[in-house]
Structure formats: C-alpha cells, structure tokens
Amino acid sequence: MKQIVKRWRMRYTSWGDMVFDVCNYSLMLVLCVVMLYPMLNTLAISLNDANDAIRGGIYLWPREFTLYNYEYVLKENTLLNALLISVLRTVLGTAISVFCTAMVAYVISRPEFVFRKFVTIAFILTMYFNGGLIPTYLLMRDLHLIGTFWVYIIPGIIGVFNLIVIRSFIEGLPNSLIESARIDGAGEFRIFLQIVLPLSLPVLATVSLFVAVYQWNSWFDVFLYNSSNPNLSTLQYELMKILQNTNATMSGKTAADAFANAHADANTVTPSSIRATMTIIASVPIILVYPFLQKYFIKGLTLGGVKGE
Amino acid sequence: MEIEKHIKTITPAPAAVESHLSKRKNIWKKIVQQKTLILMSFPFLIWLFIFKYLPLWGWTIAFQDYRPGLPFSEQEWVGWKHFRFLFQDEAFFRVLRNTLAMSIINLVLGFVTAITLAILLNELRNGKFKRIVQTISYMPHFLSWVVAASIISYALSLENGIVNIVLQKLHVIDEPILWLGVGEYFWGIIGASEVWKNLGWNTIIYLAAIAMIDPEQYEAAEIDGASRLQRIFYITLPSLKPTIVILLIMNLGNILETGFEPQYLLGNPMNLDYSENLDIFVLKYGIAMGNFALATAAGIFKTVVSFIFLFSANYIAKRLGQARLF
C-alpha cells in the first residue's frame, strides 16, 4: 500500500492531475462496458436454453447452457444457404474488388501515364454525386443483373476511397524497383503482379478488410434486387427479416406467433434466441479478424484522409 | 548558301509545324508504348461510365410521367410536375424535417463525442490500456447495422431490455418504457446508436492529428505550469482545428444523407412520423409503390441540396482562411 502511494506521489505533481486521471480511467472503463455489454449479453442468450431465456435475468453468463440454438440455425436449410452465399460474396467480392482496384491504382500512380489525369479525375468526381436509388435500380434491371449473384459483386468492383488509399501507398514505393524491373524487360502487368502487389500487402490488407466488412454486412442490395430469389439471400438479410418481424409486432408474444408460423419447431427455439444466435454468427467472423488488422487500417485511413486530393 | 539562309529566316514555320507534329506523334507513340497501362485501366473506365455516370441519365425520369417498358422516345414529358407535387406534399416536409433533425443531432453528437474521446485517449498514460480501449471502441463500427439494430432493439425492449433495467434500478423511471414505440424518442435513439457504433472509429483521424503535434509544445507548457486541462484547451484543441474544419465540411455535404439503415431497421409503425427520412421516402414511393418519377425527383432534390451544402461550406471555409476540401 505504502509503495503504491509512493509511486502515485512520484507520478503526480498535483491533486488535480490525479483526479483527472482517476476520472479519465473510470470513464474509459464505462465506455468499454457500454461497447461490449450488448454483444456479451447477446452471446449469453444465444448459449442459453430458449424457453428459459424468456424469464429474463440473463446478463453475461448463460443460465441453462445449450448449443441447441446454433444447431437449429445451422440445420435450417434457408439459413445455411444464406450463410454460404454470405461467405461466397465476401470471398469473391473481396478478391475481385481488391485486385481490380489495386490494378487501376497502379496505373494512375505512374507519372508517365498519358491518361493519368483524366482517369484519376473521372474516378474522383464520382465521390461527389450519385444517380440515386431509382436510376440505379433501373440500370440494374436493364443490365439483367437483378436476380443474379453478380449484382453483389459487379457494381462495387472499384471503391474510389480504396483506390485513393492504394494509390497513395504505391506512390510511396521506391521508384527504382519498378524502373530496374522495366530495364530488365518486364511488362507493366508483370511489374504490377510481381513487384507492386507483394510490396503493397499492408495496404491491401486494409482495403481487403474494408471490402470484406462491406460485403459481409450488406443486406440492402439483397433486399432491393434479390428479395424474390431466396436462393441468393444472405445471412444479414435473413437476420433483418427476423428483426422486422419482431419490430412490426413489438410485443414479444405476438412476435413469437408470427415467427412460429414461419419456422416450425417453436417449442424449442424462440425468436429472441434465434435472433441472438444469428446476431452472433453474423458478427463473429469480423470480430475475430479486425483486431489483428488494427495497425493497418489506422494507417490506411489516415493515408486516405490526408491525401484525399 | 545565302539563299538557303534566307529561306531559313523567312520560313521558321516548318520547324514549328514539325514540333507540333512530333508532339502529336509523341502522344501516339506514348499511347502505343503504354498500351498495357491503357488495357489495365480502360475496362474499368467503361465500368465507371456505366455504373456511376449512366444513372445520371436516369434523372430524366423525374421530368416524365415515366412508364416502365416504354422506350425513351415515347415517354411523356411533364416538366416540373413531380417537383411541384413534392413541395405541396405534407408528408415530404415531415420527411425533410426528420432527415435534417437527425442529421444535425448526429453531426453535433458525433463531433463532440469523437473529439472528446480522442483527447481523453491521448491523456491515458498507460499505452497498453489505451490500445485495449481503442480496440474495443472500434468493434461496433465493424458490425452491420442489422446486427446493431438487433442488439439495440433488444437493449431497449420492454421486458428484458438492459436500458429499462438500469434506469429502474437507478430510480430514473418507475415503469419500463417501450422506447421504440414512442415517436418523440426516436431521434435521440438514432443519435445514441450512431455514437455507440462509430464513436471509436471517428477518433482515428483525430488521434492521428494529435500525434502530429510537436511534443515540445506540451513540455514548454508544463514548464510554464500549465495544468492538464489548460494544455488540452490551449494546445490540443487549437491544433485539431484544421482537421475539425475539413471533417465538418465533408459532413455538411452529407447533411441529407442521414443514412438509411438505422432508420429503416429501427423504424416501426409506432414511430413512423419521426423515423421516416428522405431515403425511406424514396424507397417507399419508388420501389414499393412503383412511382419511379416522384421518387427520382426526391432523390435529385437530395443530391442537389447536398452539393450546394458542400460547396457553400467549402466556400465559407475558404473565406475564413481555413483549411478546405478543394
């Protein structure tokens, strides 16, 4: 105890200083609780027996532990299919988008490129306007993209913000590497593929995270373009439908009825437990990945913010 | 010899023509030389044109009595009819009010909380603790709005909602409240949800700006006997001013983009009068009711007003001698 007091005396020059720190640290702890609690609570409910959970009183720990909710969700064909589509669009969408965005970023980072200004401005301009919901919808219809899987991928191939972030990074690479490869006779595409891409891994990690999160979290394009095609539904969209059911009826009991009509087996699962379980499944992949990329996305975000042009 | 010389002096033109020609030739040569670069970027230029510029053509719908299926030449042009209808529609003004109110609440709350948190994080002396707090505070940003709405509506629910439980334990309220069932609470709920979701994320750019401040300034202030709070108010905050101004301009440009997802996902028939914003209005008229023309008109109104806001904010910042966007 004495030692602690001594250490504190050494660290703080004034009472005000100490009070400030005590308040600051407590406030940060409260903040962490507010950020984490809803998630942990949802996890506890998803791991608790559904009928028991209705009684309430579950906070951070399940009372009657079971994995049945997960078993139920993963056995349901529509939900399993939605999970697969979610994974597929995330993997494919991210790979295609990151590769294409990086390629264009490389081209507009070449100072000698004739159309450099034209291409750059054409892309950046689109940050300041958009056609709006209806014209975009009609375009997708005219392109026959509605009702297909590709409506998730093609409209988002290149993100302008990501483009700027990658370009800024490539511009910072030592030009001598690219020049010497060119003298050795490598073509532009090979330089991009074998020199620039491997060197850009940190920024590609950042952008991949952004795109993957976007793809994984999307539900509006499913709702807008593919709501009549259950085979192309995604996890987020299925969760959204459950949520809308509960919201529309509000009071817990009628929601349970509405849900029971849609999903049989109402004795062992409840809308509340299904909601919690799907919420966890829909967020766990991201929560597991983002802390490891923290260093990169912070850098990427500041890079894009500073050099936004 | 002399004649030759003479010719040279009176006709300097060929040289100029030649250099012009060679310039053109050079461009062609360059184009041929850079054909790989062109091949690597032009497909995406076509993509850009189709997906980003072509929809602008769709704006013409707002000036027609658009009927799907008819070719463009047979559509009936009606001028400003749909815009006039919009501005006489009471529902449209309610929607506009909701959009602006939620935007302003989000803007003010978002800025104040993010700047405050960035400064408080910067004052943490324990690096490890600081990193943990940061990591945790970024988490909600990565969740989808569907997940967030699911969590929020459960936290606000009547029976087991944590908000009601805590407020009752603290004796702030006697009876649990159906938060999402009362329209008047909706703007506040959206504001709080936005803060919960994006607070940590929004601090990133401020923390980066704070990291750029010369530490000598703090050392000098400490020697001069400035307290913690004085250092915050006289060094940190003023140094953040350019960043704040730029972000403010960018956000003013998005003043009508309150977002669509939180309002749509947390909205229900009971709070409709307060939750419906411009985007939901467009969706309702356009997709659900099939009135493409009216919905497009509302969309155009939104884009044009956003543009005006963005440019005015930028202009004002320029006049005030502040950092600006472009």
Short mmCIF file of all heavy atoms in Angstrom, two decimals, chain B residues 231-272:
data_model
loop_
_atom_site.label_atom_id
_atom_site.label_comp_id
_atom_site.label_asym_id
_atom_site.label_seq_id
_atom_site.Cartn_x
_atom_site.Cartn_y
_atom_site.Cartn_z
N ARG B 231 -3.58 22.55 -20.91
CA ARG B 231 -2.86 22.03 -22.07
C ARG B 231 -3.84 21.54 -23.13
O ARG B 231 -3.66 21.72 -24.33
CB ARG B 231 -1.92 20.88 -21.64
CG ARG B 231 -0.55 21.40 -21.22
CD ARG B 231 0.31 20.27 -20.72
NE ARG B 231 0.09 20.03 -19.29
CZ ARG B 231 0.41 18.91 -18.67
NH1 ARG B 231 0.91 17.89 -19.34
NH2 ARG B 231 0.20 18.79 -17.37
N ILE B 232 -4.93 20.89 -22.67
CA ILE B 232 -5.94 20.41 -23.63
C ILE B 232 -6.56 21.58 -24.38
O ILE B 232 -6.69 21.57 -25.61
CB ILE B 232 -7.03 19.59 -22.90
CG1 ILE B 232 -6.44 18.27 -22.43
CG2 ILE B 232 -8.23 19.36 -23.81
CD1 ILE B 232 -7.38 17.45 -21.59
N PHE B 233 -6.94 22.62 -23.61
CA PHE B 233 -7.71 23.70 -24.24
C PHE B 233 -6.84 24.67 -25.04
O PHE B 233 -7.32 25.31 -25.95
CB PHE B 233 -8.53 24.46 -23.19
CG PHE B 233 -9.78 23.73 -22.82
CD1 PHE B 233 -9.88 23.03 -21.63
CD2 PHE B 233 -10.86 23.71 -23.70
CE1 PHE B 233 -11.03 22.33 -21.31
CE2 PHE B 233 -12.02 23.03 -23.39
CZ PHE B 233 -12.10 22.33 -22.20
N TYR B 234 -5.54 24.78 -24.68
CA TYR B 234 -4.71 25.76 -25.37
C TYR B 234 -3.74 25.15 -26.37
O TYR B 234 -3.18 25.85 -27.20
CB TYR B 234 -3.97 26.64 -24.36
CG TYR B 234 -4.91 27.49 -23.56
CD1 TYR B 234 -5.12 27.26 -22.19
CD2 TYR B 234 -5.65 28.51 -24.18
CE1 TYR B 234 -6.01 28.03 -21.47
CE2 TYR B 234 -6.56 29.27 -23.47
CZ TYR B 234 -6.74 29.02 -22.12
OH TYR B 234 -7.64 29.78 -21.43
N ILE B 235 -3.55 23.83 -26.31
CA ILE B 235 -2.65 23.23 -27.30
C ILE B 235 -3.40 22.21 -28.16
O ILE B 235 -3.47 22.34 -29.38
CB ILE B 235 -1.44 22.55 -26.63
CG1 ILE B 235 -0.65 23.57 -25.83
CG2 ILE B 235 -0.54 21.90 -27.68
CD1 ILE B 235 0.48 22.98 -25.04
N THR B 236 -3.97 21.18 -27.52
CA THR B 236 -4.55 20.08 -28.30
C THR B 236 -5.70 20.57 -29.19
O THR B 236 -5.70 20.36 -30.40
CB THR B 236 -5.04 18.97 -27.36
OG1 THR B 236 -4.05 18.72 -26.38
CG2 THR B 236 -5.32 17.71 -28.15
N LEU B 237 -6.67 21.23 -28.56
CA LEU B 237 -7.86 21.64 -29.32
C LEU B 237 -7.53 22.57 -30.49
O LEU B 237 -7.98 22.34 -31.61
CB LEU B 237 -8.90 22.26 -28.40
CG LEU B 237 -9.98 21.29 -27.88
CD1 LEU B 237 -10.91 22.00 -26.92
CD2 LEU B 237 -10.76 20.66 -29.01
N PRO B 238 -6.75 23.64 -30.24
CA PRO B 238 -6.42 24.50 -31.39
C PRO B 238 -5.68 23.76 -32.50
O PRO B 238 -5.89 24.04 -33.68
CB PRO B 238 -5.53 25.58 -30.77
CG PRO B 238 -5.88 25.60 -29.34
CD PRO B 238 -6.23 24.19 -28.98
N SER B 239 -4.84 22.78 -32.14
CA SER B 239 -4.13 22.04 -33.17
C SER B 239 -5.07 21.17 -33.99
O SER B 239 -4.76 20.80 -35.12
CB SER B 239 -3.05 21.14 -32.55
OG SER B 239 -2.28 21.89 -31.65
N LEU B 240 -6.20 20.82 -33.40
CA LEU B 240 -7.14 19.96 -34.11
C LEU B 240 -8.04 20.74 -35.06
O LEU B 240 -8.78 20.16 -35.85
CB LEU B 240 -8.03 19.21 -33.11
CG LEU B 240 -7.41 18.02 -32.39
CD1 LEU B 240 -8.39 17.43 -31.41
CD2 LEU B 240 -7.00 16.97 -33.40
N LYS B 241 -7.96 22.08 -34.96
CA LYS B 241 -8.93 22.90 -35.69
C LYS B 241 -8.99 22.61 -37.20
O LYS B 241 -10.08 22.39 -37.73
CB LYS B 241 -8.63 24.39 -35.46
CG LYS B 241 -9.90 25.23 -35.46
CD LYS B 241 -9.64 26.60 -34.89
CE LYS B 241 -10.03 27.68 -35.85
NZ LYS B 241 -9.52 28.99 -35.49
N PRO B 242 -7.84 22.54 -37.90
CA PRO B 242 -7.94 22.26 -39.34
C PRO B 242 -8.63 20.93 -39.65
O PRO B 242 -9.48 20.86 -40.55
CB PRO B 242 -6.48 22.21 -39.79
CG PRO B 242 -5.69 22.83 -38.72
CD PRO B 242 -6.46 22.72 -37.46
N THR B 243 -8.30 19.90 -38.86
CA THR B 243 -8.93 18.60 -39.07
C THR B 243 -10.43 18.70 -38.85
O THR B 243 -11.23 18.18 -39.64
CB THR B 243 -8.35 17.57 -38.07
OG1 THR B 243 -6.95 17.71 -38.05
CG2 THR B 243 -8.73 16.17 -38.46
N ILE B 244 -10.82 19.38 -37.78
CA ILE B 244 -12.24 19.52 -37.47
C ILE B 244 -12.96 20.23 -38.61
O ILE B 244 -14.04 19.81 -39.05
CB ILE B 244 -12.44 20.30 -36.14
CG1 ILE B 244 -11.86 19.48 -34.98
CG2 ILE B 244 -13.91 20.59 -35.90
CD1 ILE B 244 -11.85 20.20 -33.66
N VAL B 245 -12.35 21.29 -39.13
CA VAL B 245 -13.00 22.06 -40.21
C VAL B 245 -13.20 21.19 -41.44
O VAL B 245 -14.29 21.15 -42.02
CB VAL B 245 -12.17 23.32 -40.55
CG1 VAL B 245 -12.74 24.00 -41.79
CG2 VAL B 245 -12.18 24.29 -39.38
N ILE B 246 -12.16 20.46 -41.83
CA ILE B 246 -12.29 19.61 -43.02
C ILE B 246 -13.38 18.57 -42.84
O ILE B 246 -14.23 18.38 -43.71
CB ILE B 246 -10.94 18.92 -43.33
CG1 ILE B 246 -9.95 19.95 -43.84
CG2 ILE B 246 -11.13 17.81 -44.36
CD1 ILE B 246 -9.02 19.50 -44.90
N LEU B 247 -13.38 17.92 -41.69
CA LEU B 247 -14.39 16.88 -41.47
C LEU B 247 -15.78 17.50 -41.44
O LEU B 247 -16.75 16.91 -41.90
CB LEU B 247 -14.11 16.13 -40.17
CG LEU B 247 -12.88 15.24 -40.22
CD1 LEU B 247 -12.66 14.56 -38.88
CD2 LEU B 247 -13.02 14.18 -41.30
N LEU B 248 -15.87 18.71 -40.88
CA LEU B 248 -17.17 19.40 -40.82
C LEU B 248 -17.69 19.68 -42.22
O LEU B 248 -18.87 19.47 -42.51
CB LEU B 248 -17.01 20.70 -40.04
CG LEU B 248 -18.26 21.27 -39.39
CD1 LEU B 248 -18.83 20.29 -38.39
CD2 LEU B 248 -17.96 22.60 -38.71
N ILE B 249 -16.79 20.14 -43.09
CA ILE B 249 -17.21 20.42 -44.48
C ILE B 249 -17.71 19.14 -45.14
O ILE B 249 -18.78 19.11 -45.74
CB ILE B 249 -16.02 20.99 -45.29
CG1 ILE B 249 -15.60 22.34 -44.75
CG2 ILE B 249 -16.41 21.12 -46.77
CD1 ILE B 249 -14.33 22.87 -45.38
N MET B 250 -16.91 18.07 -44.99
CA MET B 250 -17.32 16.82 -45.61
C MET B 250 -18.67 16.37 -45.08
O MET B 250 -19.52 15.89 -45.83
CB MET B 250 -16.27 15.73 -45.34
CG MET B 250 -15.03 15.91 -46.19
SD MET B 250 -13.66 14.93 -45.60
CE MET B 250 -14.01 13.36 -46.32
N ASN B 251 -18.88 16.55 -43.79
CA ASN B 251 -20.14 16.10 -43.20
C ASN B 251 -21.32 16.99 -43.59
O ASN B 251 -22.43 16.52 -43.70
CB ASN B 251 -20.03 16.02 -41.68
CG ASN B 251 -19.33 14.74 -41.27
OD1 ASN B 251 -19.77 13.66 -41.60
ND2 ASN B 251 -18.21 14.88 -40.61
N LEU B 252 -21.04 18.28 -43.76
CA LEU B 252 -22.13 19.17 -44.20
C LEU B 252 -22.60 18.78 -45.59
O LEU B 252 -23.79 18.88 -45.90
CB LEU B 252 -21.65 20.62 -44.18
CG LEU B 252 -21.73 21.31 -42.83
CD1 LEU B 252 -21.16 22.71 -42.92
CD2 LEU B 252 -23.16 21.36 -42.34
N GLY B 253 -21.65 18.33 -46.41
CA GLY B 253 -22.04 17.86 -47.73
C GLY B 253 -22.97 16.67 -47.66
O GLY B 253 -23.73 16.41 -48.57
N ASN B 254 -22.89 15.95 -46.55
CA ASN B 254 -23.74 14.76 -46.41
C ASN B 254 -24.94 15.00 -45.52
O ASN B 254 -25.52 14.07 -44.99
CB ASN B 254 -22.92 13.60 -45.84
CG ASN B 254 -21.92 13.10 -46.83
OD1 ASN B 254 -22.13 13.21 -48.04
ND2 ASN B 254 -20.81 12.58 -46.35
N ILE B 255 -25.29 16.29 -45.36
CA ILE B 255 -26.31 16.62 -44.36
C ILE B 255 -27.65 15.92 -44.63
O ILE B 255 -28.39 15.62 -43.72
CB ILE B 255 -26.49 18.16 -44.26
CG1 ILE B 255 -27.28 18.53 -43.02
CG2 ILE B 255 -27.18 18.72 -45.49
CD1 ILE B 255 -26.45 18.87 -41.86
N LEU B 256 -27.94 15.65 -45.87
CA LEU B 256 -29.21 14.96 -46.18
C LEU B 256 -29.03 13.44 -46.25
O LEU B 256 -29.96 12.70 -46.48
CB LEU B 256 -29.80 15.47 -47.49
CG LEU B 256 -30.32 16.91 -47.45
CD1 LEU B 256 -31.02 17.26 -48.74
CD2 LEU B 256 -31.25 17.13 -46.28
N GLU B 257 -27.78 13.01 -46.05
CA GLU B 257 -27.53 11.57 -46.05
C GLU B 257 -27.48 11.10 -44.60
O GLU B 257 -26.42 10.79 -44.09
CB GLU B 257 -26.19 11.25 -46.73
CG GLU B 257 -26.02 11.85 -48.08
CD GLU B 257 -26.16 10.84 -49.19
OE1 GLU B 257 -26.35 9.66 -48.91
OE2 GLU B 257 -26.11 11.26 -50.35
N THR B 258 -28.62 11.06 -43.95
CA THR B 258 -28.61 10.63 -42.56
C THR B 258 -28.28 9.17 -42.46
O THR B 258 -28.22 8.60 -41.40
CB THR B 258 -29.99 10.74 -41.92
OG1 THR B 258 -30.83 11.48 -42.77
CG2 THR B 258 -29.88 11.37 -40.58
N GLY B 259 -28.13 8.56 -43.57
CA GLY B 259 -28.05 7.12 -43.55
C GLY B 259 -29.46 6.62 -43.68
O GLY B 259 -30.43 7.35 -43.49
N PHE B 260 -29.53 5.38 -44.03
CA PHE B 260 -30.84 4.83 -44.31
C PHE B 260 -31.09 3.64 -43.40
O PHE B 260 -32.19 3.46 -42.87
CB PHE B 260 -30.85 4.41 -45.78
CG PHE B 260 -31.82 3.33 -46.10
CD1 PHE B 260 -33.15 3.64 -46.29
CD2 PHE B 260 -31.41 2.01 -46.21
CE1 PHE B 260 -34.06 2.64 -46.58
CE2 PHE B 260 -32.31 1.03 -46.50
CZ PHE B 260 -33.64 1.33 -46.68
N GLU B 261 -30.04 2.90 -43.16
CA GLU B 261 -30.20 1.63 -42.47
C GLU B 261 -30.74 1.76 -41.04
O GLU B 261 -31.73 1.11 -40.72
CB GLU B 261 -28.89 0.86 -42.48
CG GLU B 261 -28.45 0.50 -43.89
CD GLU B 261 -27.26 -0.42 -43.92
OE1 GLU B 261 -27.17 -1.32 -43.08
OE2 GLU B 261 -26.40 -0.24 -44.79
N PRO B 262 -30.13 2.60 -40.18
CA PRO B 262 -30.65 2.62 -38.81
C PRO B 262 -32.13 3.03 -38.75
O PRO B 262 -32.91 2.42 -38.02
CB PRO B 262 -29.76 3.63 -38.08
CG PRO B 262 -29.03 4.36 -39.14
CD PRO B 262 -28.96 3.45 -40.32
N GLN B 263 -32.49 4.04 -39.55
CA GLN B 263 -33.88 4.48 -39.52
C GLN B 263 -34.82 3.40 -40.02
O GLN B 263 -35.90 3.18 -39.47
CB GLN B 263 -34.06 5.74 -40.39
CG GLN B 263 -33.50 7.00 -39.80
CD GLN B 263 -32.02 7.14 -40.08
OE1 GLN B 263 -31.37 6.26 -40.62
NE2 GLN B 263 -31.46 8.28 -39.70
N TYR B 264 -34.40 2.74 -41.07
CA TYR B 264 -35.25 1.71 -41.65
C TYR B 264 -35.39 0.52 -40.70
O TYR B 264 -36.46 -0.04 -40.53
CB TYR B 264 -34.68 1.26 -42.99
CG TYR B 264 -35.58 0.30 -43.74
CD1 TYR B 264 -36.66 0.78 -44.47
CD2 TYR B 264 -35.36 -1.06 -43.69
CE1 TYR B 264 -37.49 -0.09 -45.15
CE2 TYR B 264 -36.19 -1.94 -44.37
CZ TYR B 264 -37.25 -1.45 -45.10
OH TYR B 264 -38.07 -2.31 -45.77
N LEU B 265 -34.26 0.14 -40.09
CA LEU B 265 -34.26 -1.08 -39.28
C LEU B 265 -34.89 -0.86 -37.91
O LEU B 265 -35.48 -1.77 -37.35
CB LEU B 265 -32.83 -1.60 -39.11
CG LEU B 265 -32.18 -2.10 -40.41
CD1 LEU B 265 -30.69 -2.30 -40.21
CD2 LEU B 265 -32.84 -3.39 -40.87
N LEU B 266 -34.76 0.33 -37.37
CA LEU B 266 -35.34 0.58 -36.04
C LEU B 266 -36.72 1.20 -36.14
O LEU B 266 -37.44 1.31 -35.16
CB LEU B 266 -34.41 1.49 -35.21
CG LEU B 266 -33.10 0.86 -34.78
CD1 LEU B 266 -32.18 1.89 -34.13
CD2 LEU B 266 -33.32 -0.30 -33.81
N GLY B 267 -37.08 1.64 -37.35
CA GLY B 267 -38.41 2.25 -37.52
C GLY B 267 -39.50 1.20 -37.44
O GLY B 267 -39.30 0.05 -37.76
N ASN B 268 -40.67 1.63 -36.97
CA ASN B 268 -41.83 0.74 -36.96
C ASN B 268 -43.08 1.63 -37.05
O ASN B 268 -42.98 2.85 -36.96
CB ASN B 268 -41.82 -0.14 -35.70
CG ASN B 268 -41.88 0.68 -34.43
OD1 ASN B 268 -42.74 1.55 -34.29
ND2 ASN B 268 -40.98 0.40 -33.51
N PRO B 269 -44.26 1.03 -37.24
CA PRO B 269 -45.46 1.86 -37.45
C PRO B 269 -45.69 2.89 -36.34
O PRO B 269 -46.25 3.95 -36.57
CB PRO B 269 -46.58 0.82 -37.49
CG PRO B 269 -45.93 -0.42 -37.95
CD PRO B 269 -44.54 -0.39 -37.40
N MET B 270 -45.21 2.58 -35.12
CA MET B 270 -45.49 3.48 -34.00
C MET B 270 -44.63 4.75 -34.02
O MET B 270 -45.04 5.79 -33.54
CB MET B 270 -45.29 2.74 -32.68
CG MET B 270 -46.47 1.86 -32.33
SD MET B 270 -46.22 1.04 -30.77
CE MET B 270 -45.20 -0.34 -31.28
N ASN B 271 -43.41 4.65 -34.57
CA ASN B 271 -42.56 5.85 -34.58
C ASN B 271 -42.38 6.41 -35.99
O ASN B 271 -41.51 7.24 -36.24
CB ASN B 271 -41.20 5.56 -33.93
CG ASN B 271 -40.47 4.39 -34.59
OD1 ASN B 271 -40.62 4.17 -35.79
ND2 ASN B 271 -39.70 3.68 -33.82
N LEU B 272 -43.24 5.97 -36.89
CA LEU B 272 -43.14 6.34 -38.31
C LEU B 272 -43.02 7.84 -38.54
O LEU B 272 -42.21 8.30 -39.35
CB LEU B 272 -44.38 5.80 -39.04
CG LEU B 272 -44.37 5.91 -40.55
CD1 LEU B 272 -43.39 4.89 -41.11
CD2 LEU B 272 -45.77 5.65 -41.10
#
